């Protein structure tokens, strides 16, 4: 099996830029995932985010999770559980507005560092979108403009902890799915593994790596690239030992953004036909919420059928 793609962003400003861009291109086309190092977010900031996230779980969420497990009898299950995940989570919204001040039980230091971390991730997401544009032959800023809609992008962080699980063969940390949105930036635990992606019908571990950011592509980028780039099924396997931390930040289109294949990508080859639908992002999200843990293709097909009866306006052009 080929090695999981690791991209050193520091090489983008060197003579190795071309080979680094090619590595990003190959990862987007063949993996849907890659891991970033030298991404510009300081080690000190990441260490502080990790410490305060783990402290918050211990202080405010661990006991609640244990009570939930006990109330549902999950420690004694004898058959596979398919309707819940072995995770403790909360969600921080950053754009178009922030809810960080409204989340209970967060220490002031934690609120402050998460606001700063979110700004760094937002900048990184937008830089990556422009790199994707360059590889795709789209004008710089195209993807950001598509995502912007009239309100600006949606951006938020799912903060998750995956405690030790006594029955990892029967309960997934997080069931297999593709992500609905745009580009996802993951800061994951470097000591406890669990994240896997599906490639060539095999589940492959996403290697934990200190101070890296894992990138994966959501359904919207598959649509915009007309299938050139793919969103990929992934899951989290619960572990019997060790608690795994995961901060997944989702840089998604605006609710009213019009998503469709980029005209440039349809024109570059006259034999290419438009095979993905055109829709309003919020309509897709409403469908996704009920079908998250199912294959993406029926979702695309449903949006294609809806497309013929609804005018979703012009495609963004630059």
């Amino acid at each position: 099996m080929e090695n999981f793609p690791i991209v050193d962003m520091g090489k983008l400003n060197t003579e190795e830029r071309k080979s680094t861009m090619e590595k990003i291109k190959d990862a987007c086309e063949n993996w849907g995932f890659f891991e970033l190092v030298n991404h510009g977010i300081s080690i000190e900031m990441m260490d502080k985010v990790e410490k305060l996230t783990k402290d918050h779980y211990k202080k405010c969420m661990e006991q609640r999770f244990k009570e939930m497990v006990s109330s549902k009898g999950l420690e004694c299950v004898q058959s596979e559980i398919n309707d819940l995940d072995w995770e403790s989570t909360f969600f921080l919204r950053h754009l178009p507005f922030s809810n960080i001040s409204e989340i209970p039980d967060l220490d002031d230091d934690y609120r402050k560092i998460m606001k700063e971390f979110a700004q760094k991730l937002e900048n990184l997401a937008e830089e990556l979108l422009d790199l994707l544009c360059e590889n795709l032959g789209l004008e710089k800023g195209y993807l950001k403009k598509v995502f912007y809609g009239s309100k600006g992008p949606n951006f938020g962080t799912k903060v998750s902890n995956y405690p030790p699980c006594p029955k990892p063969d029967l309960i997934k940390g997080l069931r297999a799915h593709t992500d609905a949105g745009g580009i996802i930036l993951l800061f994951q635990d470097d000591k406890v593994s669990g994240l896997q992606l599906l490639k060539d019908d095999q589940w492959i571990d996403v290697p934990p790596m200190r101070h890296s950011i894992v990138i994966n592509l959501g359904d919207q980028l598959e649509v915009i690239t007309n299938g050139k780039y793919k969103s990929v099924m992934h899951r989290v396997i619960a572990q019997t030992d060790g608690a795994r931390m995961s901060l997944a930040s989702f840089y998604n289109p605006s609710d009213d953004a019009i998503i469709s294949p980029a005209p440039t990508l349809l024109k570059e080859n006259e034999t290419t036909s438009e095979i993905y639908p055109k829709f309003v992002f919020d309509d897709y999200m409403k469908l996704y919420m009920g079908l998250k843990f199912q294959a993406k293709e029926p979702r695309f097909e449903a949006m294609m059928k809806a497309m013929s009866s609804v005018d979703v306006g012009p495609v963004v052009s630059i």
Side-chain angles (χ1 to χ4, degrees):
M1 176 61 67
E2 56 200 306
N3 293 330
F4 186 87
I6 298 170
V7 174
D8 184 346
M9 289 192 73
K11 294 181 177 180
L12 289 169
N13 296 317
T14 72
E15 67 279 0
E16 294 184 63
R17 177 181 175 83
K18 183 177 180 180
S19 62
T20 303
M21 291 295 290
E22 186 61 36
K23 183 173 283 191
I24 294 173
K25 178 176 180 287
D26 179 75
C28 290
E29 291 180 353
N30 297 306
W31 288 81
F33 272 77
F34 54 97
E35 201 150 3
L36 287 181
V37 296
N38 293 322
H39 41 64
I41 302 176
S42 74
I43 288 173
E44 292 77 16
M45 175 176 282
M46 297 183 81
D47 284 346
K48 187 171 183 180
V49 167
E50 179 176 359
K51 179 183 184 303
L52 293 179
T53 297
K54 291 181 175 180
D55 287 351
H56 176 263
Y57 173 73
K58 282 283 188 184
K59 178 182 175 183
C60 301
M61 301 185 73
E62 185 175 39
Q63 185 58 36
R64 294 178 208 164
F65 184 79
K66 288 178 179 178
E67 291 170 0
M68 182 278 291
V69 169
S70 178
S71 69
K72 295 181 180 293
L74 296 179
E75 291 179 329
C76 305
V77 296
Q78 299 299 318
S79 57
E80 188 170 2
I81 302 295
N82 293 312
D83 60 352
L84 61 79
D85 303 303
W86 189 269
E87 62 174 359
S88 172
T89 70
F90 64 96
F91 192 80
L92 298 176
R93 189 173 181 88
H94 312 304
L95 294 174
F97 58 86
S98 172
N99 72 345
I100 291 181
S101 63
E102 302 164 12
I103 302 294
D105 303 327
L106 298 186
D107 292 340
D108 288 344
D109 283 352
Y110 193 27
R111 294 183 203 276
K112 182 175 184 292
I113 195 67
M114 287 306 293
K115 285 182 180 179
E116 295 171 359
F117 187 50
Q119 184 61 61
K120 294 288 188 182
L121 289 170
E122 179 188 345
N123 295 342
L124 180 57
E126 293 181 348
E127 180 180 358
L128 287 167
L129 288 178
D130 278 343
L131 293 175
L132 299 192
C133 283
E134 184 176 338
N135 270 338
L136 289 163
L138 300 173
E139 290 193 48
K140 184 176 181 180
Y142 179 87
L143 290 172
K144 286 191 290 187
K145 188 168 183 179
V146 170
F147 278 30
Y148 201 86
S150 68
K151 305 173 185 177
N154 284 297
F155 184 46
T157 300
K158 179 187 176 188
V159 182
S160 305
N161 280 275
Y162 298 91
C165 178
K167 304 273 188 174
D169 54 328
L170 299 179
I171 308 174
K172 294 289 187 296
L174 181 59
R175 288 161 286 169
H177 64 287
T178 65
D179 289 324
I183 191 165
I184 299 86
L185 304 92
L186 172 68
F187 176 27
Q188 68 167 343
D189 204 293
D190 67 294
K191 297 179 180 67
V192 182
S193 63
L195 179 61
Q196 297 181 329
L197 65 89
L198 188 64
K199 179 173 168 56
D200 301 327
D201 298 321
Q202 294 185 6
W203 287 105
I204 299 171
D205 290 332
V206 177
M209 183 180 296
R210 187 83 173 142
H211 300 129
S212 71
I213 298 288
V214 176
I215 306 300
N216 73 283
L217 310 183
D219 293 349
Q220 307 312 301
L221 286 176
E222 179 166 337
V223 173
I224 294 169
T225 65
N226 205 40
K228 192 167 187 176
Y229 293 172
K230 301 288 188 183
S231 62
V232 171
M233 292 288 281
H234 53 284
R235 67 184 184 183
V236 175
I237 299 299
Q239 306 292 327
T240 54
D241 298 310
R244 176 179 177 268
M245 178 201 75
S246 163
L247 290 90
S249 297
F250 300 82
Y251 189 98
N252 291 346
S254 168
D255 290 347
D256 66 355
I258 307 299
I259 305 300
S260 66
T264 300
L265 300 181
L266 298 178
K267 292 174 183 175
E268 69 180 16
N269 185 342
E270 293 182 1
T271 63
T272 300
S273 60
E274 186 169 343
I275 59 174
Y276 285 84
K278 177 181 180 182
F279 51 82
V280 176
F281 177 64
D282 191 50
D283 291 341
Y284 186 85
M285 285 302 299
K286 289 173 182 174
L287 178 69
Y288 177 86
M289 293 309 293
L291 303 171
K292 175 177 178 177
F293 298 110
Q294 299 180 28
K296 63 190 172 183
E297 289 79 10
R299 299 196 294 266
F300 294 152
E301 291 168 8
M303 298 311 295
M304 186 73 80
K305 290 176 182 176
M307 182 177 69
S308 59
S309 60
V310 178
D311 180 10
V312 291
V315 175
V316 170
S317 58
I318 296 179

